[in-house]
Amino acid sequence: MLAARQARSSALRGLQQVRWASTSGGPSSLLLIEHNDGVINAGTLSALTAASKLGGEVTGLVVGAPDAVKGVVEKAKKLKGLSKIIYAPSPQYATPLAEQLSPLVQELLKSSSYTHFLASHSTTAKSLLPRVAAQLDVPAVSDITSVEQNSDGSTTFQRPIYAGNAISTVKAPSSIPIKVFTVRGTAFDKAATDGPDEARHAASHGLGTELAAGWVSIFTSSAHFNVGTDGRYGTFGDGPA
C-alpha cells in the first residue's frame, strides 16, 4: 500500500511538470495518440484533423510500453497539425486499459488549460473517454462527424443517430470547461504523416507513471470490420422465413 502511494505521488509530480497554456488564449486540445506495434492508428490521424479544425494548439499524448513509445513519439513529431507531445512510457501501459489510463489523463487535464480532449472512436477510447468525462463531471460526445469552434467559446458537433438515418447537432457551451469527444475516422481526412517535424520544438516529457495496478486482460486477434475507419460496409438481418 505504501509503495502504491509513493508511485501515485511520483505520477502526480510528473504531471505537474506539463502545465502548458494555449499561447493564443483560444482552444487547446489534448489528443490521445493510439498505436499498435509501433504504428499510429489510422483513426488517430483522422482525429488529429478534427482537432485541427478547432484552431489553437494540439498536444499529442502517447502512452505504452517503453520500447514502443520511443518510436511512436518520433513518428508523431512528423504529424501535420501536432504542436506538442507528452509521452508516458510504462510496462503497465503495454495493453491500454481505461482503468489504468484514466487516472493519468484525469490528472493531466486537471493540471492544465486544455479545452478539449479527444480520440478516435476506438474500442479503447469508447471505454476511456466516458470514464474520464464522468470523473471530471463533464459530458462526453461520441462518434462525431463534424466539429466547429464558435466565437463565444462553445463547440458545435454533429453525430449520426438512429443507425445513421439522422444527424444530431450538439452544442457544448463555453461553461463546460473541457469538451470530451470521440471522432469517426471516415468523416475526416487523415493527417499527413511524412512532413517535416511539426512538433520538433515541443517539450516532450516522460511522466512518472508507476501506478500500482492488478488488471489482467486477454485479447484475441480478429479481422473484424471496423466501422470507424473502414469506408464501406453492409448491414445484414434475418430474411423472410
Side-chain angles (χ1 to χ4, degrees), residues 102-234:
S102 58
L104 172 70
V105 174
Q106 180 186 3
E107 294 299 334
L108 180 55
L109 292 173
K110 281 184 175 180
S111 63
S112 66
S113 59
Y114 295 114
T115 58
H116 298 79
F117 174 50
L118 71 153
S120 66
H121 193 61
S122 64
T123 301
T124 297
K126 285 188 287 186
S127 178
L128 172 63
L129 271 68
R131 178 183 293 265
V132 171
Q135 291 168 336
L136 298 176
D137 195 24
V138 297
V141 184
S142 64
D143 202 22
I144 66 105
T145 56
S146 174
V147 61
E148 180 181 358
Q149 182 68 9
N150 304 311
S151 58
D152 61 357
S154 63
T155 306
T156 302
F157 306 96
Q158 287 189 333
R159 59 183 299 270
I161 58 175
Y162 299 119
N165 291 310
I167 299 297
S168 172
T169 298
V170 180
K171 185 174 182 179
S174 58
S175 58
I176 298 176
I178 302 176
K179 286 78 170 176
V180 178
F181 62 99
T182 61
V183 176
R184 177 172 290 199
T186 54
F188 297 88
D189 293 334
K190 296 178 177 60
T193 61
D194 56 354
D197 286 4
E198 293 279 328
R200 178 169 50 190
H201 302 295
S204 298
H205 293 267
L207 307 180
T209 55
E210 294 301 324
L211 304 181
W215 297 95
V216 176
S217 178
I218 299 176
F219 290 89
T220 58
S221 60
S222 173
H224 68 279
F225 183 85
N226 187 335
V227 70
T229 56
D230 293 333
R232 296 183 178 181
Y233 61 95

Side-chain angles (χ1 to χ4, degrees), residues 49-101:
T49 299
S52 299
K53 291 183 178 296
L54 293 167
E57 296 180 340
V58 181
T59 299
L61 173 61
V62 181
V63 297
D67 57 343
V69 164
K70 183 177 180 180
V72 173
V73 168
E74 291 303 313
K75 293 178 180 178
K77 287 181 180 180
K78 297 181 179 295
L79 297 181
K80 183 174 179 56
L82 198 63
S83 306
K84 299 175 181 177
I85 301 171
I86 304 172
Y87 61 89
S90 174
Q92 70 178 8
Y93 293 149
T95 299
L97 297 176
E99 294 83 357
Q100 293 176 322
L101 296 180

